[in-house]
């Protein structure tokens, strides 16, 4: 038979240091940029593992990280799970009471913090009941002056630790390796625990040519934060395959990202639509860079509009690859790679296809069920709830039996996303179950409507919410941000006129509201709960 | 935590039929060529699973296949393991007594046979103690006249079986799925059992961009037989990713292969050096084809010479990708993909690098140990035995504790291959442990010497063996096949002269023997045991 060999993150680390010791990690920190080879990265990771041991970290202990995308965060990605502990990547953008909740709920024993983020934790430090030490990630020789108790310097600890460490080879592959909390829109954030096995399988799947296509010759720029679902597994896949990693730190302006792409010859920039919308505006304003290294822009987190995909390709020669996932799915489960014969479709139809959430990735099982639990037809019309199962899909939330029972039923994760699936198997999100507008017994997809409105040349952002209606129960209202140049010119009538031949008549919003900005959640999605509260 | 979801071959089958129902399998059979969509293929696979059930096949039963590369063999690849039984792909090229041994040793219950192969089994049928039924794979409506007892027609059984089948989703991932026997050079063939888990993980790894890079848009031609280590996992990876498969049947002449590549727009032809040497000669003789679809030729099974890699690339614009594996390793464990910075090396140095067996693939652990068990230096000089462990490496031979104990020690598979590893981590096979020539207390690599001799423009094949020597214990002798045009012109002196500035003086063979042909084993490797017996 076959060896009973566990699937461990450790194998990625060893492959990088043995086969790709000269390959590079670029890291932008608060004070300076760093360049490390995988050989140096490995040594520092060993030192960090020794530091963890010397601080009394035991198998299964939760270790928090509160950091931007940089090399020290990458070291934590490997040293913590490979030595048997669990990395809890804390979302910087949570509100203070949420931060207190997740850190206490996870029972983090140590938290590693970027120096510029110290103030965010300092103000809640006295409410953290389990944290024994704060380790400050900084380039400065001496600890910066901070008002955190029990604080130590990361670099000082590393310098004093032995440079060699024997990572255990006999961990069970189902050992917890990392955890993230989702930003629940109601109630406290929900924790998801990833195992060595799930991270290993997900990373290999992500590297497949029809998923993100991660190769040794790539230079990968994860703009998506490392505190956001393990940066979609990119750091693990990249290290494993020996890719160059470009970790951009905190400065994520369009200019900074464009310069990094040009200077570090990035092949695979990966991030959320907000980033690509900003970058696109920057290019449209006349900025010019050498993007010849880019294979494609990878978009995830939220949908990206067909018009943006089209403009990137036709105006700048940059292909956009759109994927879908969530904290509970590790995250990548759908990818909108066009099938070979879609190349022959006319471009507009192809762009529309690429804007869909895509095909289910290898190794994940998917079904779409209507309210009666019946699978919907593959006709691009019938709506149903998207459900998943597979080796990198969660089966529960951490210590939360009640909400686990809601989402995980009959062996499936019920995502709460209402979707259609077309004849080619491409899934298209219509809405979150709770954001659907129920008008006169029919469903209106707020997202579909938003995308249609965003195709208007003067619209930057659009969020559609339900407002209560006596006759129809609910009716849509559009909240729109216009381009600055158009703010004096475009009015409600222009928008409704624009929609007339594009959506069903009864989908046309009753009201249009022009805002300076759409409120966002901590992960940059439209905060519709907030909008509903304010305007309904 | 994460779902306890088993890694099963079944997921590949479902993905192909759901997402890629229109994609195609081309299949060349005895009477005619077939084209099936994955949708048709899936239905036939369901029918086959029903046939197996109706024939009384139980979980764990061994089902033999004795067939070329065609769609019926592919149906067996999925229907047998996905319904819980074990597919034993029998090597057509075994000698009759070996065939009797492997079929009885595996206890095959049913054997599926291509019609033209019936005579090979008919002559040993009365010695097969466990086989209850022979199922004939044929396009003919009526069973061809055959002298096999208990024979049934595959197509007739399929036509009568229901078109739907519920493949079990709850198999343990460690359930045996398939088995192959190695062609041991001494003693009976040794059996290796693959599990659902090992085949799943190996197929995903094989599809990685830096391994074989298997995409939906590929058209894959497995020239390597489907009875040879599951055709290197290609059929599984291809079906999973939705690639087009081109199954070439029995006719493997250079002309037939070239035509298939051209007509089916093959991107990835996969096979052993004998095939590529033949194809190269065919091209050199002036034959011309459109090979613009080819991404690269994948070579495995044995080494391919640097000069052939160079000629394919420089004269025909075809890149060659060389890999290494064995029955015990599923098989792919090394791949000679050049690292990005090797692109900048001068071409000759790069070709030499590509001719090495390559880098260890993601997920496999490797070590190279000298006679004392000490790991050798990464200097391209120190020789040691190559050892592997990992989730798709065998831990034993089937019902063979004695020879299992020899090869599997301390958790490692000891391959018996003597190799060096260079600073970049590329492994280079020097010899089989038993083929090394021990001359005056030093080792001479027979393979290294063969490759050097084969670089001579008039040499087609060269095998080097040890002959006993009173003074030096052993000395090398070269057995050489010359190009027909050179047979009157080249003599021993020319060869020795050619070697003079290319190898150490004491490596130069004592004798050169010119043969019409080098004897081969059943899998097409040089049969050195035979040569040694004849000439020493």
């Amino acid at each position: 038979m076959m060896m009973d060999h566990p699937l461990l993150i450790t194998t990625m680390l060893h492959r990088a240091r043995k086969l790709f010791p000269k390959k590079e990690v670029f890291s932008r920190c608060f004070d300076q940029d760093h360049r490390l080879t995988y050989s140096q990265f490995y040594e520092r990771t060993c030192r960090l593992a020794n530091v963890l041991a010397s601080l009394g970290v035991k198998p299964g202990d939760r270790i928090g990280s509160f950091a931007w995308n940089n090399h020290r965060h990458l070291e934590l990605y490997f040293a913590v799970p490979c030595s048997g502990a669990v990395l809890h990547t804390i979302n910087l953008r949570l509100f203070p009471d949420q931060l207190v909740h997740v850190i206490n709920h996870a029972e983090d024993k140590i938290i590693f913090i970027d120096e510029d983020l110290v103030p965010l934790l300092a103000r809640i430090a006295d409410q953290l009941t389990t944290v024994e030490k704060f380790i400050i990630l900084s380039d400065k020789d001496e600890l910066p002056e901070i008002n955190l108790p029990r604080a130590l310097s990361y670099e000082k600890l590393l310098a004093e630790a032995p440079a060699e460490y024997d990572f255990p080879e006999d961990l069970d592959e189902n050992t917890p390796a990392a955890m993230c909390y989702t930003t629940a829109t109601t109630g406290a954030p929900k924790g998801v625990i990833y195992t060595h096995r799930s991270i290993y399988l997900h990373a290999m799947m992500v590297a497949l040519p029809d998923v993100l296509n991660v190769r040794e010759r790539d230079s990968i720029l994860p703009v998506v934060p490392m505190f956001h679902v393990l940066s979609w597994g990119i750091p693990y896949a990249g290290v494993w395959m020996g890719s160059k990693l470009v970790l951009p730190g905190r400065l994520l302006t369009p200019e900074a990202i464009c310069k990094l792409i040009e200077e570090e010859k990035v092949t695979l920039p990966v991030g959320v639509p907000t980033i690509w919308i900003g970058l696109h505006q920057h290019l449209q304003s006349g900025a010019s860079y050498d993007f010849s290294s880019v294979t494609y822009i990878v978009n995830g987190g939220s949908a990206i509009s067909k018009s943006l995909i089209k403009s990137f390709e036709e105006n700048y020669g940059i292909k956009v690859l759109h994927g879908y996932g969530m904290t509970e799915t590790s995250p990548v489960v759908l990818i909108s790679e066009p099938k070979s014969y879609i190349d022959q479709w006319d471009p507009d139809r192809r762009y529309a296809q690429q804007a869909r959430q895509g095909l289910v990735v290898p190794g994940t099982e998917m079904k779409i069920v209507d309210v009666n639990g019946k699978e919907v037809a593959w006709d691009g019309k019938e709506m149903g709830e998207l459900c998943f199962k597979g080796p990198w899909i969660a089966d529960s939330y951490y210590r939360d039996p009640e909400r686990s029972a809601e989402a995980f039923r009959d062996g499936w994760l019920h995502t709460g996303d209402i979707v259609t699936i077309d004849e080619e198997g491409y899934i298209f999100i219509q809405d979150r179950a709770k954001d659907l507008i129920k008008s006169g017994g029919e469903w209106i997809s707020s997202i579909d409507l938003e995308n249609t409105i965003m195709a208007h040349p003067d619209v930057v952002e659009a969020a559609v919410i339900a407002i209560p209606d006596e006759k129809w129960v609910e009716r849509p209202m559009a909240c729109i941000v216009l381009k600055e140049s158009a703010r004096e010119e475009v009015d409600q009538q222009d928008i409704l006129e624009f929609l007339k031949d594009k959506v069903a008549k009864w989908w046309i919003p009753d009201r249009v509201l022009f805002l300076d900005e759409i409120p966002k959640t901590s992960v940059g999605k439209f905060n519709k709960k907030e909008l509903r509260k304010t305007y309904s």
Side-chain angles (χ1 to χ4, degrees), chain A:
Chain A
M1 294 270 283
M2 292 288 124
M3 289 183 181
D4 180 18
H5 190 91
L7 311 180
L8 300 180
I9 295 169
T10 324
T11 194
M12 308 175 190
L13 184 63
H14 285 308
R15 189 162 189 268
R17 67 121 173 165
K18 283 183 183 168
L19 297 189
F20 309 108
K22 299 183 217 165
K23 293 296 300 287
E24 195 179 74
V25 177
F26 170 91
S27 165
R28 176 155 290 166
C29 292
F30 187 71
D31 281 328
Q32 56 178 302
D33 292 350
H34 294 257
R35 281 177 200 282
L36 291 82
T37 63
Y38 275 128
S39 176
Q40 294 167 316
F41 160 74
Y42 178 73
E43 189 194 307
R44 288 173 55 88
T45 301
C46 286
R47 288 178 186 273
L48 174 53
N50 281 313
V51 168
L52 294 172
S54 72
L55 292 173
V57 173
K58 298 275 173 301
D61 281 349
R62 269 80 63 214
I63 304 300
S65 65
F66 200 71
W68 303 104
N69 291 13
N70 58 47
H71 67 291
R72 298 188 182 98
H73 208 167
L74 190 70
E75 287 151 15
L76 287 160
Y77 261 51
F78 286 88
V80 175
C82 294
S83 62
V86 184
L87 181 69
H88 171 204
T89 55
I90 305 166
N91 185 339
L92 315 183
R93 305 219 174 90
L94 292 180
F95 305 112
D97 57 337
Q98 292 178 317
L99 284 176
V100 171
H101 172 81
V102 301
I103 294 168
N104 287 341
H105 188 257
E107 300 177 295
D108 292 336
K109 189 172 181 172
I110 300 176
I111 298 181
F112 291 77
I113 319 169
D114 268 345
E115 56 183 311
D116 56 316
L117 297 171
V118 166
L120 289 182
L121 281 195
R123 57 185 172 170
I124 56 163
D126 60 349
Q127 299 172 63
L128 304 178
T129 53
T130 59
V131 181
E132 295 171 9
K133 292 271 186 321
F134 295 94
I135 316 276
I136 314 300
L137 311 169
S138 165
D139 286 326
K140 301 180 177 68
D141 281 340
E142 285 307 307
L143 214 53
E145 229 175 80
I146 51 167
N147 50 350
L148 263 183
R150 309 176 297 281
L152 299 169
S153 154
Y154 184 84
E155 289 300 327
K156 211 166 159 198
L157 288 168
L158 248 60
E160 289 162 1
E164 289 180 7
Y165 185 88
D166 271 338
F167 290 100
E169 288 183 29
D170 56 352
L171 289 177
D172 186 299
E173 67 189 37
N174 293 309
T175 303
M179 69 187 299
C180 293
Y181 281 80
T182 70
T183 48
T185 41
T186 49
K190 297 173 278 187
V192 172
I193 296 202
Y194 308 105
T195 62
H196 278 266
R197 171 178 161 113
S198 75
I199 290 174
Y200 176 112
L201 291 168
H202 178 267
M204 195 182 270
M205 177 278 296
V206 157
L208 286 171
D210 283 347
V211 185
L212 300 195
N213 194 27
V214 178
R215 304 160 305 165
E216 179 271 333
R217 50 188 68 228
D218 277 311
S219 168
I220 307 178
L221 172 65
V223 185
V224 52
M226 291 173 73
F227 56 78
H228 191 178
V229 207
L230 299 175
S231 206
W232 304 345
I234 301 284
Y236 290 115
V239 168
W240 203 357
M241 303 306 144
S243 318
K244 174 179 171 181
L245 287 182
V246 180
L247 304 176
R250 64 175 298 159
L251 187 67
L252 302 179
T253 62
E255 292 88 336
I257 293 172
C258 288
K259 272 193 190 159
L260 269 183
I261 292 175
E262 182 175 271
E263 288 169 7
E264 302 302 324
K265 296 192 174 47
V266 169
T267 58
L268 223 54
V270 183
V272 296
T274 319
I275 297 290
W276 311 129
I277 291 169
L279 194 144
H280 183 257
Q281 283 183 330
H282 182 56
L283 294 178
Q284 282 206 304
S285 77
S288 170
Y289 300 89
D290 177 2
F291 281 177
S292 58
S293 57
V294 176
T295 316
Y296 36 63
I297 281 178
V298 178
N299 177 72
S302 312
I304 188 163
S305 69
K306 176 189 146 187
S307 53
L308 198 61
I309 294 175
K310 177 177 168 150
S311 176
F312 265 122
E313 182 162 331
E314 297 191 350
N315 298 323
Y316 308 104
I318 304 173
K319 285 189 192 294
V320 176
L321 180 64
H322 173 46
Y324 163 97
M326 51 203 296
T327 309
E328 294 85 338
T329 62
S330 286
V332 183
V333 276
L334 300 179
I335 191 84
S336 206
E337 171 82 15
K339 295 183 192 175
S340 45
Y341 49 81
I342 289 179
D343 291 354
Q344 275 109 53
W345 291 8
D346 78 69
D348 254 18
R349 191 174 163 213
R350 173 167 62 78
Y351 297 135
Q353 203 69 9
Q354 287 175 257
R356 300 192 171 182
Q357 278 63 44
L359 300 172
V360 66
V361 298
T364 305
E365 313 300 325
M366 170 273 297
K367 70 173 181 179
I368 301 163
V369 291
D370 65 17
V371 280
N372 303 313
K374 198 179 139 281
E375 290 201 38
V376 303
W378 288 34
D379 61 1
K381 286 176 196 150
E382 273 190 50
M383 292 191 202
E385 185 177 15
L386 183 57
C387 303
F388 291 107
K389 63 181 178 184
W392 49 86
I393 311 295
D395 69 356
S396 60
Y397 296 115
Y398 183 59
R399 294 185 183 168
D400 192 342
E402 200 172 309
R403 290 193 295 178
S404 292
E406 265 173 48
F408 305 96
R409 284 175 276 132
D410 316 318
W412 291 87
L413 161 67
H414 294 251
T415 64
D417 277 330
I418 303 299
V419 306
T420 57
I421 183 166
D422 66 20
E423 284 148 27
E424 293 294 343
Y426 286 75
I427 288 168
F428 196 22
I429 292 201
Q430 301 299 317
D431 226 328
R432 289 295 296 167
K434 63 182 184 317
D435 291 337
L436 269 180
I437 297 150
K438 292 99 183 172
S439 172
E442 297 281 350
W443 284 355
I444 297 173
S445 157
S446 65
I447 292 177
D448 206 351
L449 207 44
E450 286 159 8
N451 285 335
T452 312
I453 297 172
M454 283 198 274
H456 187 292
D458 292 320
V459 172
V460 179
E461 287 180 335
V464 173
I465 57 168
I467 45 171
D469 184 276
E470 277 194 22
K471 185 170 172 193
W472 304 105
V473 186
E474 289 182 354
R475 287 295 299 153
M477 176 173 87
C479 306
I480 292 178
V481 179
L482 292 173
K483 275 190 193 159
E484 283 214 33
S485 56
R487 290 195 183 169
E488 302 301 312
E489 291 160 28
V490 175
D491 63 12
Q492 165 158 335
Q493 207 42 46
D494 294 326
I495 300 293
L496 301 185
E497 199 62 36
F498 176 77
L499 291 175
K500 230 168 148 183
D501 57 347
K502 295 183 181 67
V503 299
K505 200 177 161 199
W506 55 279
W507 277 42
I508 293 185
D510 282 17
R511 269 211 279 166
V512 175
L513 203 69
F514 293 100
L515 305 177
D516 288 344
E517 194 179 8
I518 309 265
K520 307 265 179 11
T521 67
S522 60
V523 291
K525 297 185 184 182
F526 293 155
N527 192 337
K528 293 194 182 177
K529 201 178 145 206
E530 177 78 24
L531 280 174
R532 276 192 293 264
K533 214 167 65 184
T534 315
Y535 298 107
S536 72

